Amino acid sequence: MDWEGLEDGLEDGLFEKDDSAYVDADKMTRPSLTYWSDAWRRFKGNRVAMVSAVILLIIILMAVFQPMVSKYAYDEQDWFAINQGPSAEHWFGTDELGRDIFVRCWEGARVSLLIAFVVAILNGTIGILYGGISGYFGGVADNIMMRFCELIASIPQMLWVVLLILVLKPGIFPIILAIGVTGWIGMARLFRGQVFALKESEFVMASRTMGAGSLWIILKHLLPNAMSPIIISMANVIPGAIFSEAFLSYVGLGVPLPTASWGVLASDGANKLLNFPYQLLFPSLLICITMLCFNLMGDGLRDALDPRMRQ
Amino acid sequence: MAKYVAKRFVSMLITLFLVATITFFLMHAVPGQPFEITRETPESVKQALYEQYGLDKPLFEQYLIYMKNLLRGDFGVSMKYKSQSVVGTVTAGMPVSALIGFGGVLIGCLIGSVLGAVAALKNKGFVDYFVIVLAILGVSIPNFVFGSLIQRYFAVEWQMFPIQGWRGWQYAVLPIMAAAFTNIAYYARMLRTSMLDTMGQDYIYTARSKGLGQGEIVRKHMLRNSFLPLVTSLGPMCAGVLTGNFVIEKIFNVPGIGQSMITSIQNSDYTMIMGLTIIFSFISVVCYFIVDIVYGLVDPRIRIAG
């Protein structure tokens, strides 16, 4: 086609040249986003998850500061105010020893949340190291290590926890240890799968060529790439640990008296449901709200970190 | 298939052996001496008790005797109530626990999967939001809180069912309801996710494009494929039924094995805890075994790989 002739044809003013199809391919039209800032942008856009995160933050702040500023101590007994309903004096009422339930709820939040977070970290660490080593080395080591996982997983986790706590004697630290050392199987399997998928990639080979050790590769190269499923599953461990603690308290293997935890408060309250329903209402409401927020935030995290999984 | 079953069976036996060993040594690592609760026990009585339970022998010999007894089906005798053997407790409590546990799973599975399927088919409809809320509530309320609540309302306020005990079918209603609640939430959520996943698959488009009606697609293509994760989850579910129902049996004072477990934990009845733990593990491992076989039957890819 004779393009020269077409250019000439524009001069008569009937047509004009359109440059809109011309794009400067080198110019960045939008700021470049890393994976994490992209995920954060998605998470911020999720109103339900954001509200849950804010509520959780408030609960954590209350747990940290309320027992400090409260005019009652969590184990302070008042024989003139036994089993009183909610009032201006005691917002959530008092229990059978005249202890203020409001401060006990937040003291309980300290214990329960501490247990939950440390358990999540412990599970995560053991699971990542175990799954990473198992998946990275493969072969016989992997086979033996996974058999061991199967052995532990073939029995309900609660039985292991009960056995361990009987050996260790009930307390905050034994509870953390017992739930922590029995609950990492899921995490180990998850990370092992990720390592299997990633360990043949070029960047691992490049790192190995430069003389990196196995542990370095697992922690520095494979772990960051598998971070999103790990965070999602950690967010699910926390509500599970809160439940486990509540179960142990109910069975009588919870934190020793007079320590308060949500499990202790709720199981004490459950025994007095007929006469003093408020004693169950407030602790269990707190548990429910916290669980709800963790679950909703977990869903939000999943959607933000792994958009493909959105349903 | 026979090879796959044999392989799984052997690994089941090994698991059971290891679990029994671990349990035995853990229980003997519990600090303190047995029979310490009664402080004033004279030395001679203590000695006689030790001999009766074989605790005077070296640990390893005790272990061998214990394992030998296990093989003969003798799980020991309670330390607290001497007339109670572990096997006796289990045979007495098992039917009750099984009724509540499997009743809860069955009802939970049925109602849950119907809700989940409807929620997925009518995505973003009323049932869908209901299922989402229910699923979240199901994982947010501790089961002893839910159990106590239905006890208060159904038994005390409205007097529809007896509060607690075990003297007839109406005593089973509330415990089963409590057991079913978590399961309904769990299965509804699972089936909803799995259905939505299946709906996006290519073979559904194929089925639609070759002119199949919606009913037929749902029945023949979606449901069959969506139920697979449900089958796998039944193993842990059946096993978890027992631990999950500790609390429910306790609340409704139902004479099941979960209740016995809680009582023996509270009494520090170590032989009983040990025996019950091994039996729970046995049930759990057998459940996994059966589910693996069923899964192998349903999905041919597994038995070839296994």
Side-chain angles (χ1 to χ4, degrees):
Chain A
M1 197 181 263
D2 186 6
W3 292 99
E4 291 297 314
L6 271 176
E7 281 285 329
D8 295 341
L10 286 173
E11 276 154 24
D12 60 11
L14 279 173
F15 299 97
E16 54 184 274
K17 201 174 167 196
D18 178 18
D19 283 332
S20 68
Y22 173 78
V23 181
D24 181 5
D26 293 328
K27 205 180 124 210
M28 291 207 193
T29 46
R30 285 194 197 95
S32 113
L33 285 176
T34 63
Y35 170 69
W36 293 107
S37 52
D38 204 29
W40 171 236
R41 188 181 55 79
R42 274 195 294 264
F43 188 76
K44 260 194 308 194
N46 186 339
R47 201 168 300 159
V48 178
M50 273 310 270
V51 170
S52 312
V54 170
I55 294 176
L56 282 178
L57 195 70
I58 294 172
I59 290 177
I60 291 171
L61 288 178
M62 281 297 278
V64 173
F65 293 111
Q66 203 281 333
M68 287 184 197
V69 298
S70 167
K71 58 179 169 172
Y72 304 105
Y74 73 92
D75 54 354
E76 185 185 307
Q77 304 177 2
D78 181 357
W79 293 100
F80 298 103
I82 289 171
N83 288 329
Q84 284 185 349
S87 62
E89 202 52 22
H90 299 280
W91 289 3
F92 286 181
T94 57
D95 64 6
E96 82 280 11
L97 296 173
R99 294 175 295 196
D100 181 54
I101 294 182
F102 188 65
V103 69
R104 279 181 75 72
C105 274
W106 296 112
E107 180 65 29
R110 283 183 172 189
V111 174
S112 290
L113 291 175
L114 176 80
I115 292 176
F117 280 113
V118 180
V119 161
I121 294 170
L122 209 60
N123 278 348
T125 319
I126 302 177
I128 285 165
L129 283 177
Y130 194 94
I133 291 170
S134 173
Y136 187 79
F137 292 107
V140 185
D142 178 49
N143 214 333
I144 295 171
M145 287 173 96
M146 282 299 120
R147 274 290 134 81
F148 182 65
C149 279
E150 260 170 48
L151 170 69
I152 294 185
S154 62
I155 300 180
Q157 192 200 346
M158 262 311 130
L159 283 180
W160 288 122
V161 173
V162 166
L163 282 182
L164 280 174
I165 289 183
L166 285 173
V167 176
L168 297 167
K169 296 289 161 208
I172 296 182
F173 180 69
I175 291 178
I176 291 176
L177 198 68
I179 309 178
V181 298
T182 51
W184 49 269
I185 307 288
M187 186 69 85
R189 283 185 176 156
L190 185 137
F191 188 50
R192 174 181 167 271
Q194 296 283 326
V195 169
F196 253 120
L198 291 168
K199 71 174 177 182
E200 303 299 338
S201 20
E202 281 84 356
F203 62 88
V204 173
M205 201 166 76
S207 181
R208 202 177 297 144
T209 323
M210 287 188 276
S214 306
L215 201 64
W216 175 267
I217 292 179
I218 292 173
L219 294 181
K220 194 73 192 171
H221 293 291
L222 297 177
L223 182 58
N225 278 292
M227 213 55 209
S228 49
I230 288 174
I231 290 178
I232 294 163
S233 115
M234 288 256 246
N236 288 327
V237 168
I238 292 174
I242 293 176
F243 258 24
S244 303
E245 190 274 325
F247 168 79
L248 289 171
S249 301
Y250 192 78
V251 180
L253 293 173
V255 291
L257 297 171
T259 320
S261 73
W262 282 346
V264 170
L265 292 171
S267 56
D268 281 357
N271 293 330
K272 280 174 276 171
L273 179 64
L274 293 185
N275 300 323
F276 308 108
Y278 66 91
Q279 293 190 10
L280 174 66
L281 177 72
F282 292 113
S284 47
L285 211 57
L286 260 179
I287 299 181
C288 292
I289 292 172
T290 311
M291 303 292 278
L292 195 68
C293 291
F294 267 117
N295 281 305
L296 291 174
M297 198 182 77
D299 286 355
L301 276 176
R302 191 196 58 206
D303 290 345
L305 293 171
D306 195 352
R308 279 165 306 166
M309 281 170 72
R310 194 185 313 228
Q311 296 280 334
Chain B
M1 190 67 199
K3 204 180 149 198
Y4 172 70
V5 174
K7 212 170 149 185
R8 287 289 297 111
F9 189 74
V10 171
S11 93
M12 178 177 89
L13 290 183
I14 296 173
T15 309
L16 280 175
F17 166 74
L18 289 175
V19 165
T21 308
I22 296 173
T23 313
F24 178 87
F25 285 106
L26 269 180
M27 288 321 293
H28 283 77
V30 172
Q33 303 284 317
F35 314 115
E36 228 176 33
I37 310 117
T38 45
R39 290 261 165 74
E40 306 296 312
T41 321
E43 206 50 40
S44 58
V45 175
K46 230 173 172 178
Q47 204 56 43
L49 278 171
Y50 272 38
E51 264 167 44
Q52 193 191 333
Y53 285 93
L55 293 169
D56 50 342
K57 298 191 178 69
L59 188 59
F60 192 69
E61 207 183 320
Q62 284 183 44
Y63 169 68
L64 288 183
I65 294 172
Y66 192 73
M67 289 311 243
K68 221 182 280 169
N69 286 341
L70 282 190
L71 283 182
R72 275 194 264 117
D74 176 9
F75 285 73
V77 182
S78 161
M79 274 185 178
K80 189 91 180 168
Y81 310 103
K82 272 157 211 101
S83 57
Q84 241 176 36
S85 73
V86 175
V87 175
T89 308
V90 171
T91 41
M94 191 53 113
V96 180
S97 292
L99 177 67
I100 292 172
F102 290 105
V105 168
L106 202 69
I107 290 174
C109 196
L110 276 177
I111 300 180
S113 39
V114 169
L115 278 176
V118 175
L121 290 173
K122 300 251 186 303
N123 200 0
K124 305 249 185 294
F126 170 73
V127 182
D128 195 18
Y129 287 112
F130 177 72
V131 165
I132 294 173
V133 171
L134 186 79
I136 292 170
L137 282 182
V139 291
S140 306
I141 303 177
N143 54 3
F144 62 86
V145 173
F146 182 75
S148 307
L149 283 177
I150 60 171
Q151 193 176 38
R152 180 184 165 91
Y153 287 102
F154 285 89
V156 181
E157 304 263 312
W158 306 327
Q159 311 240 326
M160 288 163 74
F161 300 103
I163 300 180
Q164 55 172 24
W166 195 256
R167 264 167 291 157
W169 65 269
Q170 65 271 47
Y171 287 84
V173 176
L174 288 184
I176 291 182
M177 203 145 96
F181 173 66
T182 344
N183 292 332
I184 293 176
Y186 177 79
Y187 282 115
R189 185 179 193 165
M190 186 167 75
L191 207 75
R192 176 178 174 274
T193 317
S194 153
M195 279 283 272
L196 284 176
D197 208 39
T198 317
M199 276 157 95
Q201 297 289 331
D202 289 340
Y203 54 77
I204 298 294
Y205 289 106
T206 313
R208 195 154 283 149
S209 58
K210 75 182 181 191
L212 284 186
Q214 174 74 4
E216 210 154 352
I217 293 176
V218 171
R219 229 180 19 254
K220 285 193 175 157
H221 294 276
M222 281 188 203
L223 284 181
R224 267 191 83 132
N225 285 295
S226 309
F227 270 107
L228 262 184
L230 201 140
V231 177
T232 1
S233 80
L234 275 177
M237 186 54 82
C238 292
V241 149
L242 297 161
T243 33
N245 291 348
F246 280 17
V247 169
I248 290 167
E249 288 179 11
K250 174 91 180 151
I251 292 173
F252 295 99
N253 195 18
V254 171
I257 39 178
Q259 160 107 296
S260 313
M261 183 71 177
I262 292 195
T263 317
S264 49
I265 291 173
Q266 283 162 350
N267 287 341
S268 311
D269 187 347
Y270 294 123
T271 42
M272 200 67 164
I273 299 175
M274 190 155 73
L276 285 177
T277 305
I278 294 174
I279 287 176
F280 282 144
S281 322
F282 182 76
I283 296 168
S284 156
V285 171
V286 170
C287 283
Y288 274 102
F289 174 69
I290 294 171
V291 168
D292 273 0
I293 305 290
V294 170
Y295 206 56
L297 287 173
V298 177
D299 191 344
R301 279 169 299 183
I302 294 185
R303 52 174 192 260
I304 294 163

